[in-house]
PDB file of all heavy atoms in Angstrom:
ATOM      1  N   ASP A1470     -48.729   2.739 -45.460  1.00 86.00           N
ATOM      2  CA  ASP A1470     -49.792   1.905 -44.908  1.00 86.00           C
ATOM      3  C   ASP A1470     -49.665   1.337 -43.403  1.00 86.00           C
ATOM      4  O   ASP A1470     -50.582   1.181 -42.634  1.00 86.00           O
ATOM      5  CB  ASP A1470     -49.991   0.722 -45.772  1.00 86.00           C
ATOM      6  CG  ASP A1470     -50.602   1.040 -47.084  1.00 86.00           C
ATOM      7  OD1 ASP A1470     -51.615   1.711 -47.166  1.00 86.00           O
ATOM      8  OD2 ASP A1470     -49.858   0.596 -48.133  1.00 86.00           O
ATOM      9  N   THR A1471     -48.302   1.218 -43.054  1.00 90.00           N
ATOM     10  CA  THR A1471     -48.186   0.558 -41.661  1.00 90.00           C
ATOM     11  C   THR A1471     -47.425   1.453 -40.806  1.00 90.00           C
ATOM     12  O   THR A1471     -46.531   2.255 -41.255  1.00 90.00           O
ATOM     13  CB  THR A1471     -47.250  -0.783 -42.046  1.00 90.00           C
ATOM     14  OG1 THR A1471     -48.072  -1.596 -42.909  1.00 90.00           O
ATOM     15  CG2 THR A1471     -47.066  -1.479 -40.823  1.00 90.00           C
ATOM     16  N   PHE A1472     -47.772   1.337 -39.546  1.00 92.00           N
ATOM     17  CA  PHE A1472     -47.081   2.120 -38.644  1.00 92.00           C
ATOM     18  C   PHE A1472     -45.946   1.233 -38.125  1.00 92.00           C
ATOM     19  O   PHE A1472     -46.204   0.171 -37.559  1.00 92.00           O
ATOM     20  CB  PHE A1472     -47.997   2.379 -37.349  1.00 92.00           C
ATOM     21  CG  PHE A1472     -48.941   3.560 -37.501  1.00 92.00           C
ATOM     22  CD1 PHE A1472     -50.345   3.142 -37.669  1.00 92.00           C
ATOM     23  CD2 PHE A1472     -48.723   4.786 -37.522  1.00 92.00           C
ATOM     24  CE1 PHE A1472     -51.266   4.176 -37.917  1.00 92.00           C
ATOM     25  CE2 PHE A1472     -49.741   5.710 -37.752  1.00 92.00           C
ATOM     26  CZ  PHE A1472     -50.970   5.421 -37.859  1.00 92.00           C
ATOM     27  N   TYR A1473     -44.797   1.591 -38.300  1.00 91.00           N
ATOM     28  CA  TYR A1473     -43.545   0.930 -37.851  1.00 91.00           C
ATOM     29  C   TYR A1473     -43.120   1.350 -36.434  1.00 91.00           C
ATOM     30  O   TYR A1473     -43.300   2.565 -36.104  1.00 91.00           O
ATOM     31  CB  TYR A1473     -42.345   1.005 -38.788  1.00 91.00           C
ATOM     32  CG  TYR A1473     -42.652   0.128 -39.927  1.00 91.00           C
ATOM     33  CD1 TYR A1473     -43.295   0.541 -41.187  1.00 91.00           C
ATOM     34  CD2 TYR A1473     -42.210  -1.243 -39.932  1.00 91.00           C
ATOM     35  CE1 TYR A1473     -43.553  -0.265 -42.101  1.00 91.00           C
ATOM     36  CE2 TYR A1473     -42.453  -2.096 -40.954  1.00 91.00           C
ATOM     37  CZ  TYR A1473     -43.116  -1.541 -42.124  1.00 91.00           C
ATOM     38  OH  TYR A1473     -43.374  -2.391 -43.204  1.00 91.00           O
ATOM     39  N   VAL A1474     -42.607   0.443 -35.671  1.00 92.00           N
ATOM     40  CA  VAL A1474     -42.079   0.758 -34.285  1.00 92.00           C
ATOM     41  C   VAL A1474     -40.630   0.726 -34.480  1.00 92.00           C
ATOM     42  O   VAL A1474     -39.933  -0.128 -35.248  1.00 92.00           O
ATOM     43  CB  VAL A1474     -42.479  -0.378 -33.315  1.00 92.00           C
ATOM     44  CG1 VAL A1474     -41.901  -0.041 -31.935  1.00 92.00           C
ATOM     45  CG2 VAL A1474     -43.952  -0.551 -33.176  1.00 92.00           C
ATOM     46  N   ASP A1475     -39.978   1.853 -33.954  1.00 92.00           N
ATOM     47  CA  ASP A1475     -38.553   2.050 -34.211  1.00 92.00           C
ATOM     48  C   ASP A1475     -37.642   1.152 -33.431  1.00 92.00           C
ATOM     49  O   ASP A1475     -36.952   1.551 -32.536  1.00 92.00           O
ATOM     50  CB  ASP A1475     -38.129   3.573 -33.973  1.00 92.00           C
ATOM     51  CG  ASP A1475     -36.832   3.966 -34.506  1.00 92.00           C
ATOM     52  OD1 ASP A1475     -36.259   3.051 -35.294  1.00 92.00           O
ATOM     53  OD2 ASP A1475     -36.395   4.979 -34.242  1.00 92.00           O
ATOM     54  N   MET A1476     -38.001  -0.148 -33.534  1.00 91.00           N
ATOM     55  CA  MET A1476     -37.315  -1.119 -32.614  1.00 91.00           C
ATOM     56  C   MET A1476     -37.403  -2.488 -33.395  1.00 91.00           C
ATOM     57  O   MET A1476     -38.185  -2.628 -34.086  1.00 91.00           O
ATOM     58  CB  MET A1476     -38.190  -1.146 -31.314  1.00 91.00           C
ATOM     59  CG  MET A1476     -37.511  -1.606 -30.154  1.00 91.00           C
ATOM     60  SD  MET A1476     -38.673  -1.917 -28.933  1.00 91.00           S
ATOM     61  CE  MET A1476     -38.674  -0.307 -28.248  1.00 91.00           C
ATOM     62  N   LYS A1477     -36.263  -3.280 -33.013  1.00 92.00           N
ATOM     63  CA  LYS A1477     -36.412  -4.673 -33.552  1.00 92.00           C
ATOM     64  C   LYS A1477     -36.608  -5.828 -32.444  1.00 92.00           C
ATOM     65  O   LYS A1477     -36.212  -5.318 -31.328  1.00 92.00           O
ATOM     66  CB  LYS A1477     -34.957  -4.879 -34.268  1.00 92.00           C
ATOM     67  CG  LYS A1477     -34.798  -4.147 -35.582  1.00 92.00           C
ATOM     68  CD  LYS A1477     -33.527  -4.466 -36.215  1.00 92.00           C
ATOM     69  CE  LYS A1477     -33.444  -3.666 -37.485  1.00 92.00           C
ATOM     70  NZ  LYS A1477     -32.118  -3.937 -38.140  1.00 92.00           N
ATOM     71  N   ASP A1478     -36.987  -6.782 -32.781  1.00 90.00           N
ATOM     72  CA  ASP A1478     -37.132  -7.834 -31.785  1.00 90.00           C
ATOM     73  C   ASP A1478     -35.707  -8.469 -31.482  1.00 90.00           C
ATOM     74  O   ASP A1478     -34.814  -8.192 -32.139  1.00 90.00           O
ATOM     75  CB  ASP A1478     -38.252  -8.911 -32.074  1.00 90.00           C
ATOM     76  CG  ASP A1478     -37.828  -9.816 -33.175  1.00 90.00           C
ATOM     77  OD1 ASP A1478     -36.816  -9.658 -33.826  1.00 90.00           O
ATOM     78  OD2 ASP A1478     -38.563 -10.700 -33.418  1.00 90.00           O
ATOM     79  N   ALA A1479     -35.660  -9.507 -30.645  1.00 90.00           N
ATOM     80  CA  ALA A1479     -34.416 -10.270 -30.301  1.00 90.00           C
ATOM     81  C   ALA A1479     -33.748 -10.856 -31.428  1.00 90.00           C
ATOM     82  O   ALA A1479     -32.560 -10.987 -31.543  1.00 90.00           O
ATOM     83  CB  ALA A1479     -34.647 -11.337 -29.224  1.00 90.00           C
ATOM     84  N   GLU A1480     -34.465 -11.128 -32.496  1.00 89.00           N
ATOM     85  CA  GLU A1480     -33.946 -11.844 -33.686  1.00 89.00           C
ATOM     86  C   GLU A1480     -33.664 -10.729 -34.755  1.00 89.00           C
ATOM     87  O   GLU A1480     -33.425 -11.246 -35.896  1.00 89.00           O
ATOM     88  CB  GLU A1480     -34.804 -12.865 -34.184  1.00 89.00           C
ATOM     89  CG  GLU A1480     -34.680 -14.192 -33.408  1.00 89.00           C
ATOM     90  CD  GLU A1480     -35.925 -14.896 -33.137  1.00 89.00           C
ATOM     91  OE1 GLU A1480     -36.550 -15.494 -34.086  1.00 89.00           O
ATOM     92  OE2 GLU A1480     -36.544 -14.651 -32.018  1.00 89.00           O
ATOM     93  N   GLY A1481     -33.711  -9.529 -34.401  1.00 89.00           N
ATOM     94  CA  GLY A1481     -33.479  -8.516 -35.416  1.00 89.00           C
ATOM     95  C   GLY A1481     -34.580  -8.139 -36.401  1.00 89.00           C
ATOM     96  O   GLY A1481     -34.307  -7.525 -37.427  1.00 89.00           O
ATOM     97  N   ARG A1482     -35.722  -8.579 -36.109  1.00 87.00           N
ATOM     98  CA  ARG A1482     -36.779  -8.294 -37.059  1.00 87.00           C
ATOM     99  C   ARG A1482     -37.525  -6.992 -36.611  1.00 87.00           C
ATOM    100  O   ARG A1482     -37.801  -6.758 -35.466  1.00 87.00           O
ATOM    101  CB  ARG A1482     -37.935  -9.521 -37.035  1.00 87.00           C
ATOM    102  CG  ARG A1482     -37.160 -10.712 -37.459  1.00 87.00           C
ATOM    103  CD  ARG A1482     -38.232 -11.851 -37.640  1.00 87.00           C
ATOM    104  NE  ARG A1482     -38.515 -12.332 -36.325  1.00 87.00           N
ATOM    105  CZ  ARG A1482     -38.843 -13.623 -36.030  1.00 87.00           C
ATOM    106  NH1 ARG A1482     -38.653 -14.577 -37.039  1.00 87.00           N
ATOM    107  NH2 ARG A1482     -39.193 -13.993 -34.901  1.00 87.00           N
ATOM    108  N   TRP A1483     -37.758  -6.172 -37.633  1.00 88.00           N
ATOM    109  CA  TRP A1483     -38.556  -5.016 -37.335  1.00 88.00           C
ATOM    110  C   TRP A1483     -39.823  -5.174 -36.778  1.00 88.00           C
ATOM    111  O   TRP A1483     -40.614  -6.189 -37.071  1.00 88.00           O
ATOM    112  CB  TRP A1483     -38.615  -4.096 -38.633  1.00 88.00           C
ATOM    113  CG  TRP A1483     -37.440  -3.308 -38.941  1.00 88.00           C
ATOM    114  CD1 TRP A1483     -36.602  -3.657 -39.950  1.00 88.00           C
ATOM    115  CD2 TRP A1483     -36.766  -2.263 -38.395  1.00 88.00           C
ATOM    116  NE1 TRP A1483     -35.518  -2.828 -40.046  1.00 88.00           N
ATOM    117  CE2 TRP A1483     -35.596  -2.014 -38.978  1.00 88.00           C
ATOM    118  CE3 TRP A1483     -37.102  -1.487 -37.279  1.00 88.00           C
ATOM    119  CZ2 TRP A1483     -34.777  -1.022 -38.643  1.00 88.00           C
ATOM    120  CZ3 TRP A1483     -36.341  -0.497 -36.768  1.00 88.00           C
ATOM    121  CH2 TRP A1483     -35.129  -0.218 -37.548  1.00 88.00           C
ATOM    122  N   LEU A1484     -40.372  -4.211 -35.872  1.00 94.00           N
ATOM    123  CA  LEU A1484     -41.674  -4.421 -35.309  1.00 94.00           C
ATOM    124  C   LEU A1484     -42.606  -3.340 -35.879  1.00 94.00           C
ATOM    125  O   LEU A1484     -42.225  -2.335 -36.417  1.00 94.00           O
ATOM    126  CB  LEU A1484     -41.529  -4.144 -33.748  1.00 94.00           C
ATOM    127  CG  LEU A1484     -40.634  -5.161 -32.969  1.00 94.00           C
ATOM    128  CD1 LEU A1484     -40.504  -4.684 -31.560  1.00 94.00           C
ATOM    129  CD2 LEU A1484     -41.296  -6.590 -33.117  1.00 94.00           C
ATOM    130  N   ASN A1485     -43.757  -3.745 -35.858  1.00 94.00           N
ATOM    131  CA  ASN A1485     -44.940  -2.776 -36.329  1.00 94.00           C
ATOM    132  C   ASN A1485     -46.209  -2.943 -35.622  1.00 94.00           C
ATOM    133  O   ASN A1485     -46.216  -3.814 -34.938  1.00 94.00           O
ATOM    134  CB  ASN A1485     -45.155  -3.057 -37.946  1.00 94.00           C
ATOM    135  CG  ASN A1485     -45.562  -4.529 -38.100  1.00 94.00           C
ATOM    136  OD1 ASN A1485     -46.497  -5.055 -37.596  1.00 94.00           O
ATOM    137  ND2 ASN A1485     -44.613  -5.223 -39.064  1.00 94.00           N
ATOM    138  N   LEU A1486     -46.994  -1.925 -35.627  1.00 96.00           N
ATOM    139  CA  LEU A1486     -48.386  -2.114 -35.127  1.00 96.00           C
ATOM    140  C   LEU A1486     -49.089  -2.937 -36.129  1.00 96.00           C
ATOM    141  O   LEU A1486     -49.326  -2.537 -37.325  1.00 96.00           O
ATOM    142  CB  LEU A1486     -49.081  -0.706 -34.973  1.00 96.00           C
ATOM    143  CG  LEU A1486     -48.291   0.268 -34.012  1.00 96.00           C
ATOM    144  CD1 LEU A1486     -49.282   1.512 -33.964  1.00 96.00           C
ATOM    145  CD2 LEU A1486     -48.115  -0.456 -32.642  1.00 96.00           C
ATOM    146  N   ARG A1487     -49.635  -3.996 -35.784  1.00 96.00           N
ATOM    147  CA  ARG A1487     -50.193  -5.032 -36.849  1.00 96.00           C
ATOM    148  C   ARG A1487     -51.282  -4.411 -37.677  1.00 96.00           C
ATOM    149  O   ARG A1487     -52.119  -3.608 -37.229  1.00 96.00           O
ATOM    150  CB  ARG A1487     -50.804  -6.298 -36.130  1.00 96.00           C
ATOM    151  CG  ARG A1487     -51.830  -5.987 -35.260  1.00 96.00           C
ATOM    152  CD  ARG A1487     -52.442  -7.324 -34.653  1.00 96.00           C
ATOM    153  NE  ARG A1487     -53.640  -6.875 -33.730  1.00 96.00           N
ATOM    154  CZ  ARG A1487     -54.107  -7.819 -33.045  1.00 96.00           C
ATOM    155  NH1 ARG A1487     -53.705  -9.028 -32.954  1.00 96.00           N
ATOM    156  NH2 ARG A1487     -55.180  -7.528 -32.275  1.00 96.00           N
ATOM    157  N   PRO A1488     -51.102  -4.457 -39.038  1.00 94.00           N
ATOM    158  CA  PRO A1488     -51.998  -3.767 -39.962  1.00 94.00           C
ATOM    159  C   PRO A1488     -53.243  -4.491 -40.237  1.00 94.00           C
ATOM    160  O   PRO A1488     -54.184  -4.079 -40.864  1.00 94.00           O
ATOM    161  CB  PRO A1488     -51.262  -3.520 -41.238  1.00 94.00           C
ATOM    162  CG  PRO A1488     -50.178  -4.728 -41.104  1.00 94.00           C
ATOM    163  CD  PRO A1488     -49.896  -5.054 -39.830  1.00 94.00           C
ATOM    164  N   HIS A1489     -53.264  -5.811 -39.688  1.00 95.00           N
ATOM    165  CA  HIS A1489     -54.522  -6.637 -39.731  1.00 95.00           C
ATOM    166  C   HIS A1489     -54.390  -7.718 -38.708  1.00 95.00           C
ATOM    167  O   HIS A1489     -53.295  -7.906 -38.032  1.00 95.00           O
ATOM    168  CB  HIS A1489     -54.603  -7.313 -41.186  1.00 95.00           C
ATOM    169  CG  HIS A1489     -53.339  -7.937 -41.797  1.00 95.00           C
ATOM    170  ND1 HIS A1489     -53.258  -8.524 -43.075  1.00 95.00           N
ATOM    171  CD2 HIS A1489     -52.148  -8.204 -41.223  1.00 95.00           C
ATOM    172  CE1 HIS A1489     -52.093  -9.009 -43.144  1.00 95.00           C
ATOM    173  NE2 HIS A1489     -51.374  -8.796 -42.058  1.00 95.00           N
ATOM    174  N   THR A1490     -55.407  -8.520 -38.535  1.00 97.00           N
ATOM    175  CA  THR A1490     -55.300  -9.577 -37.556  1.00 97.00           C
ATOM    176  C   THR A1490     -54.763 -10.898 -38.085  1.00 97.00           C
ATOM    177  O   THR A1490     -54.595 -11.844 -37.324  1.00 97.00           O
ATOM    178  CB  THR A1490     -56.709  -9.990 -36.903  1.00 97.00           C
ATOM    179  OG1 THR A1490     -57.649  -9.834 -37.934  1.00 97.00           O
ATOM    180  CG2 THR A1490     -57.030  -8.688 -35.758  1.00 97.00           C
ATOM    181  N   SER A1491     -54.487 -10.831 -39.373  1.00 97.00           N
ATOM    182  CA  SER A1491     -53.985 -12.085 -40.029  1.00 97.00           C
ATOM    183  C   SER A1491     -52.743 -12.768 -39.387  1.00 97.00           C
ATOM    184  O   SER A1491     -52.699 -14.023 -39.430  1.00 97.00           O
ATOM    185  CB  SER A1491     -53.739 -11.915 -41.485  1.00 97.00           C
ATOM    186  OG  SER A1491     -54.888 -11.454 -42.158  1.00 97.00           O
ATOM    187  N   PRO A1492     -51.879 -12.006 -38.694  1.00 98.00           N
ATOM    188  CA  PRO A1492     -50.846 -12.707 -37.896  1.00 98.00           C
ATOM    189  C   PRO A1492     -51.282 -13.767 -37.028  1.00 98.00           C
ATOM    190  O   PRO A1492     -50.664 -14.774 -36.649  1.00 98.00           O
ATOM    191  CB  PRO A1492     -50.013 -11.647 -37.291  1.00 98.00           C
ATOM    192  CG  PRO A1492     -50.484 -10.319 -37.886  1.00 98.00           C
ATOM    193  CD  PRO A1492     -51.727 -10.548 -38.612  1.00 98.00           C
ATOM    194  N   MET A1493     -52.543 -13.567 -36.561  1.00 98.00           N
ATOM    195  CA  MET A1493     -53.073 -14.426 -35.448  1.00 98.00           C
ATOM    196  C   MET A1493     -53.520 -15.835 -36.124  1.00 98.00           C
ATOM    197  O   MET A1493     -53.469 -16.786 -35.434  1.00 98.00           O
ATOM    198  CB  MET A1493     -54.329 -13.772 -34.942  1.00 98.00           C
ATOM    199  CG  MET A1493     -54.041 -12.860 -33.826  1.00 98.00           C
ATOM    200  SD  MET A1493     -52.845 -13.451 -32.483  1.00 98.00           S
ATOM    201  CE  MET A1493     -53.971 -14.823 -31.712  1.00 98.00           C
ATOM    202  N   GLN A1494     -53.588 -15.892 -37.490  1.00 98.00           N
ATOM    203  CA  GLN A1494     -53.813 -17.138 -38.188  1.00 98.00           C
ATOM    204  C   GLN A1494     -52.448 -17.891 -37.886  1.00 98.00           C
ATOM    205  O   GLN A1494     -52.537 -19.143 -37.490  1.00 98.00           O
ATOM    206  CB  GLN A1494     -53.833 -16.910 -39.574  1.00 98.00           C
ATOM    207  CG  GLN A1494     -55.090 -16.456 -40.235  1.00 98.00           C
ATOM    208  CD  GLN A1494     -54.793 -16.335 -41.812  1.00 98.00           C
ATOM    209  OE1 GLN A1494     -54.073 -16.927 -42.531  1.00 98.00           O
ATOM    210  NE2 GLN A1494     -55.542 -15.326 -42.357  1.00 98.00           N
ATOM    211  N   VAL A1495     -51.332 -17.267 -38.038  1.00 98.00           N
ATOM    212  CA  VAL A1495     -50.072 -17.872 -37.999  1.00 98.00           C
ATOM    213  C   VAL A1495     -49.709 -18.242 -36.574  1.00 98.00           C
ATOM    214  O   VAL A1495     -49.358 -19.487 -36.267  1.00 98.00           O
ATOM    215  CB  VAL A1495     -48.931 -16.935 -38.611  1.00 98.00           C
ATOM    216  CG1 VAL A1495     -47.595 -17.769 -38.576  1.00 98.00           C
ATOM    217  CG2 VAL A1495     -49.392 -16.503 -39.881  1.00 98.00           C
ATOM    218  N   ARG A1496     -49.967 -17.270 -35.639  1.00 98.00           N
ATOM    219  CA  ARG A1496     -49.694 -17.589 -34.354  1.00 98.00           C
ATOM    220  C   ARG A1496     -50.414 -18.789 -33.821  1.00 98.00           C
ATOM    221  O   ARG A1496     -49.990 -19.729 -33.179  1.00 98.00           O
ATOM    222  CB  ARG A1496     -49.995 -16.502 -33.413  1.00 98.00           C
ATOM    223  CG  ARG A1496     -48.797 -15.295 -33.523  1.00 98.00           C
ATOM    224  CD  ARG A1496     -49.104 -14.163 -32.609  1.00 98.00           C
ATOM    225  NE  ARG A1496     -48.112 -13.173 -32.761  1.00 98.00           N
ATOM    226  CZ  ARG A1496     -46.863 -13.154 -32.019  1.00 98.00           C
ATOM    227  NH1 ARG A1496     -46.768 -14.243 -31.220  1.00 98.00           N
ATOM    228  NH2 ARG A1496     -46.028 -12.348 -32.174  1.00 98.00           N
ATOM    229  N   TYR A1497     -51.706 -18.774 -34.149  1.00 98.00           N
ATOM    230  CA  TYR A1497     -52.750 -19.812 -33.493  1.00 98.00           C
ATOM    231  C   TYR A1497     -52.340 -21.231 -34.178  1.00 98.00           C
ATOM    232  O   TYR A1497     -52.378 -22.164 -33.494  1.00 98.00           O
ATOM    233  CB  TYR A1497     -54.123 -19.314 -33.667  1.00 98.00           C
ATOM    234  CG  TYR A1497     -55.146 -20.309 -33.055  1.00 98.00           C
ATOM    235  CD1 TYR A1497     -55.351 -20.092 -31.572  1.00 98.00           C
ATOM    236  CD2 TYR A1497     -55.544 -21.395 -33.546  1.00 98.00           C
ATOM    237  CE1 TYR A1497     -56.101 -21.039 -30.972  1.00 98.00           C
ATOM    238  CE2 TYR A1497     -56.443 -22.355 -32.928  1.00 98.00           C
ATOM    239  CZ  TYR A1497     -56.670 -22.113 -31.643  1.00 98.00           C
ATOM    240  OH  TYR A1497     -57.535 -22.938 -30.935  1.00 98.00           O
ATOM    241  N   ALA A1498     -52.250 -21.173 -35.472  1.00 98.00           N
ATOM    242  CA  ALA A1498     -52.043 -22.456 -36.240  1.00 98.00           C
ATOM    243  C   ALA A1498     -50.691 -23.082 -35.745  1.00 98.00           C
ATOM    244  O   ALA A1498     -50.539 -24.262 -35.707  1.00 98.00           O
ATOM    245  CB  ALA A1498     -52.024 -22.320 -37.749  1.00 98.00           C
ATOM    246  N   ARG A1499     -49.662 -22.250 -35.565  1.00 98.00           N
ATOM    247  CA  ARG A1499     -48.305 -22.762 -35.147  1.00 98.00           C
ATOM    248  C   ARG A1499     -48.520 -23.396 -33.902  1.00 98.00           C
ATOM    249  O   ARG A1499     -47.814 -24.427 -33.497  1.00 98.00           O
ATOM    250  CB  ARG A1499     -47.263 -21.640 -35.159  1.00 98.00           C
ATOM    251  CG  ARG A1499     -46.866 -21.326 -36.460  1.00 98.00           C
ATOM    252  CD  ARG A1499     -46.002 -20.103 -36.371  1.00 98.00           C
ATOM    253  NE  ARG A1499     -44.673 -20.171 -35.999  1.00 98.00           N
ATOM    254  CZ  ARG A1499     -43.546 -20.485 -36.846  1.00 98.00           C
ATOM    255  NH1 ARG A1499     -43.750 -20.643 -37.982  1.00 98.00           N
ATOM    256  NH2 ARG A1499     -42.399 -20.713 -36.176  1.00 98.00           N
ATOM    257  N   MET A1500     -49.273 -22.740 -32.893  1.00 98.00           N
ATOM    258  CA  MET A1500     -49.410 -23.248 -31.442  1.00 98.00           C
ATOM    259  C   MET A1500     -50.159 -24.628 -31.703  1.00 98.00           C
ATOM    260  O   MET A1500     -49.795 -25.570 -31.024  1.00 98.00           O
ATOM    261  CB  MET A1500     -50.292 -22.230 -30.784  1.00 98.00           C
ATOM    262  CG  MET A1500     -50.215 -22.229 -29.233  1.00 98.00           C
ATOM    263  SD  MET A1500     -51.292 -20.990 -28.625  1.00 98.00           S
ATOM    264  CE  MET A1500     -52.889 -21.554 -28.992  1.00 98.00           C
TER     265      MET A1500
END
Side-chain angles (χ1 to χ4, degrees):
D1470 289 309
T1471 303
F1472 287 106
Y1473 281 89
V1474 179
D1475 195 10
M1476 201 188 277
K1477 292 181 178 176
D1478 75 352
E1480 280 138 79
R1482 296 186 287 224
W1483 283 107
L1484 297 173
N1485 53 59
L1486 298 183
R1487 63 179 181 191
H1489 51 183
T1490 43
S1491 299
M1493 281 306 292
Q1494 291 177 26
V1495 186
R1496 286 183 177 273
Y1497 189 87
R1499 283 168 78 91
M1500 199 176 74

